[in-house]
Amino acid sequence: MNGFWNNLPDLELLVHDKVSLVLVLQEVHRIEESAMDNTLRQRYKCFKMAATSIYHSGAIGVSAETAATRLDIDTDLPIVGVRLGLPIAVSVLSIYLPNEKLPDLRNRHQDALHQVPEPVIIIGDVIGHHQAWGGSSNNTRGNSVMEYACANELVILNDGSLTFHRVTIKTTIDIALASSSIAARLLWHAVEDPHGSDYSPTVFTLNNAAHRKQPGEPVAEKEIGTEAHTSMEEIFSVIIQAACLDVPKTSPKPGKRAFQWWEEATKAVVKLRRKKLRAFKRTKDRLPSDHPDLVLANENYKNARNACRQEILVAKEKSWKEFLDSINDQQSSAALWQKISGPQGKRRVKGLCLTVNGSPTRDQQIIAETLADYFDRLSSIKTCAEEAERRVSLTICNRAIGYLEKTRDNGQGCFLAGPPKRGQYHASPGGGSPPAWAEMLVGQGTRSG
């Protein structure tokens, strides 16, 4: 793919019409499994392999409705594998062999395959040429892969179609192998539209029909074990689905990455590409494949996609040059590490920004004092209208006068220990003058009234 994010729109088009059971992706670069799960309308659960180089990374996406478990393969080759809980339990391996010298390749392949339960389907970019899968000639790596396939009774599924197109180079370096027990149920073909890539996507069709046994044919122990394994996969699938429904998540969406090269021009071309992609999808849903409007919509999307890729490349190059020019021996360690953290995709936390007296500031002391003054003005009675203040004063005054009249009428010389509550006059024994708060309120009410 040469980057998952770079080719995500084309991948959406590829799975737009029909949800594939499995997606095998190569060169996904730096991306987390959780981020991949949140794309493609969350219809796939992705399993990524960890490679020494981001350019050698690959992944397998399995439909969310299909039970799948990761295979633990102890190897130094870039291989990721899953076990699918289908009516025919099958292992799927994704292999990427980098274009460099790999000593003892056949034995390393053999050690990895011994850890995988059969039957198995192997899909990979081996960068090896052989006439058996459509190459014009044979090379050393192609011969090594061919010997490995013959030794393990693996059937080549390629039909000879070319899968790699780059300017004048047209060949087949992608290979698909399958165990002889299920090879007859698999149909392989290459998609004509490369979707903006040098590699043509390949599609497999699996026939899940059960094998019809001949009369008197015994049930093999291997088939019994496969059925038991499938039952366990179904149990695991139910447990996982129940956990996903009932166990709450802190956040279903990951945080956005802080791209240093993101600019307004980049934002504009990405927005245009998405617009053309949506228009193409809508046209594709309502018009036949040979309609002129559909062809035009496809051309408009491709032009927008190519322009977007070019703009992103220019923005990245410009950002990298500016990054190198900004580093000098005058900077502090904190400033240097902040610059280094930016290209790694870490979000930059700058704190709260507030506009005070017409200018933005991040000074925490100024922000705290400004907010304190603001809330003090909101809660103060001084912000009320003059009429509201007069009514409040009259209400307090009337309650105080009522209290004084009541205490004088009963002749007991008893006064409240605190301010009167609404509708209640609880006297406390003892003589003396009226409370100071009552006389003060009466005076204030008289002046206000």
Side-chain angles (χ1 to χ4, degrees):
M1 293 188 67
N2 193 21
F4 183 83
W5 295 119
N6 295 339
N7 295 276
L8 180 58
D10 295 284
L11 184 59
E12 292 177 355
L13 280 180
L14 190 63
V15 299
H16 175 68
D17 298 331
K18 184 178 180 181
V19 179
S20 302
L21 184 65
V22 177
L23 297 177
V24 179
L25 309 174
Q26 304 289 352
E27 298 182 11
V28 295
H29 293 185
R30 185 186 293 110
I31 184 175
E32 300 295 333
E33 291 183 355
S34 57
M36 299 176 68
D37 294 342
N38 289 325
T39 60
L40 301 176
R41 301 180 184 177
Q42 298 182 345
R43 293 182 296 183
Y44 291 93
K45 169 64 179 176
C46 296
F47 302 85
K48 182 187 174 184
M49 64 179 172
T52 54
S53 173
I54 63 172
Y55 299 102
H56 303 163
S57 57
I60 296 179
V62 182
S63 174
E65 300 177 356
T66 304
T69 55
R70 183 192 296 271
L71 295 176
D72 187 11
I73 305 175
D74 185 12
T75 179
D76 58 347
L77 294 175
I79 299 177
V80 61
V82 296
R83 184 73 174 177
L84 302 180
L86 302 175
I88 304 174
V90 60
S91 301
V92 179
L93 299 183
S94 173
I95 300 178
Y96 180 83
L97 301 182
N99 190 17
E100 58 188 41
K101 188 175 181 180
L102 299 175
D104 200 16
L105 179 59
R106 178 180 174 181
N107 292 332
R108 293 159 72 181
H109 262 149
Q110 193 71 35
D111 294 340
L113 187 61
H114 284 167
Q115 306 174 45
V116 179
E118 295 185 353
V120 61
I121 300 174
I122 302 176
I123 306 170
D125 182 2
V126 298
I127 314 183
H129 303 276
H130 201 281
Q131 295 177 350
W133 53 77
S136 58
S137 60
N138 303 344
N139 63 359
T140 303
R141 180 173 292 185
N143 292 331
S144 176
V145 174
M146 189 64 187
E147 293 173 359
Y148 160 78
C150 295
N152 293 277
E153 297 183 356
L154 298 175
V155 179
I156 299 174
L157 302 178
N158 298 56
D159 61 3
S161 301
L162 301 179
T163 61
F164 182 79
H165 311 268
R166 178 177 294 174
V167 193
T168 59
I169 302 176
K170 296 182 178 180
T171 184
T172 301
I173 56 179
D174 300 296
I175 188 173
L177 305 172
S179 300
S180 57
S181 59
I182 62 170
R185 299 177 179 177
L186 294 171
L187 179 63
W188 180 97
H189 75 275
V191 180
E192 294 183 0
D193 187 2
H195 291 274
S197 174
D198 296 332
Y199 295 83
S200 296
T202 56
V203 180
F204 297 83
T205 303
L206 173 63
N207 182 12
N208 289 330
H211 173 65
R212 291 188 177 181
K213 297 181 176 60
Q214 300 297 328
E217 181 181 355
V219 178
E221 294 182 0
K222 182 177 179 180
E223 295 178 357
I224 297 176
T226 302
E227 294 176 359
H229 184 79
T230 303
S231 300
M232 291 300 297
E233 294 290 350
E234 293 176 354
I235 295 174
F236 292 154
S237 175
V238 173
I239 295 175
I240 293 174
Q241 291 178 5
C244 292
L245 292 175
D246 296 335
V247 178
K249 297 181 180 180
T250 55
S251 175
K253 297 181 180 180
K256 294 184 179 180
R257 297 173 59 188
F259 291 118
Q260 299 291 328
W261 46 266
W262 190 265
E263 299 176 348
E264 289 298 327
T266 313
K267 180 180 179 180
V269 294
V270 171
K271 184 178 180 179
L272 179 61
R273 183 197 65 186
R274 292 174 179 173
K275 180 180 178 180
K276 298 299 182 182
L277 176 61
R278 291 193 297 268
F280 178 53
K281 287 181 179 180
R282 290 193 298 266
T283 309
K284 189 176 182 181
D285 291 338
R286 61 184 179 85
L287 295 178
S289 58
D290 56 347
H291 198 279
D293 291 345
L294 180 60
V295 177
L296 179 60
N298 189 15
E299 290 297 327
N300 292 337
Y301 163 68
K302 289 182 178 180
N303 294 335
R305 178 195 62 196
N306 296 337
C308 180
R309 289 180 177 176
Q310 184 63 28
E311 181 64 32
I312 290 177
L313 289 176
V314 172
K316 287 182 177 180
E317 181 180 0
K318 177 184 176 182
S319 176
W320 179 248
K321 291 180 179 179
E322 293 177 352
F323 170 74
L324 296 179
D325 294 340
S326 65
I327 297 178
N328 53 65
D329 55 358
Q330 307 276 334
Q331 294 172 334
S332 62
S333 299
L336 179 61
W337 280 111
Q338 185 177 4
K339 291 182 178 294
I340 295 176
S341 300
Q344 293 178 345
K346 296 181 179 180
R347 286 176 287 180
R348 294 162 290 181
V349 181
K350 295 184 178 180
L352 179 64
C353 180
L354 192 65
T355 302
V356 180
N357 297 328
S359 60
T361 179
R362 295 185 183 274
D363 191 318
Q364 302 300 312
Q365 183 67 25
I366 298 176
I367 293 176
E369 293 177 354
T370 303
L371 293 178
D373 294 340
Y374 173 72
F375 288 112
D376 179 65
R377 291 195 304 270
L378 289 181
S379 60
S380 175
I381 195 173
K382 297 179 181 179
T383 59
C384 301
E386 182 179 353
E387 179 65 18
E389 183 179 358
R390 188 182 67 83
R391 291 183 180 182
V392 171
S393 300
L394 285 175
T395 302
I396 298 175
C397 178
N398 293 334
R399 290 189 180 181
I401 292 174
Y403 161 75
L404 293 175
E405 291 179 352
K406 185 175 181 62
T407 54
R408 292 192 183 99
D409 291 343
N410 58 28
Q412 298 177 0
C414 299
F415 301 97
L416 291 178
K421 296 184 180 179
R422 188 173 185 179
Q424 298 178 356
Y425 296 92
H426 301 288
S428 58
S433 61
W437 63 264
E439 296 288 358
M440 180 182 64
L441 289 177
V442 172
Q444 290 182 351
T446 303
R447 290 193 298 271
S448 299

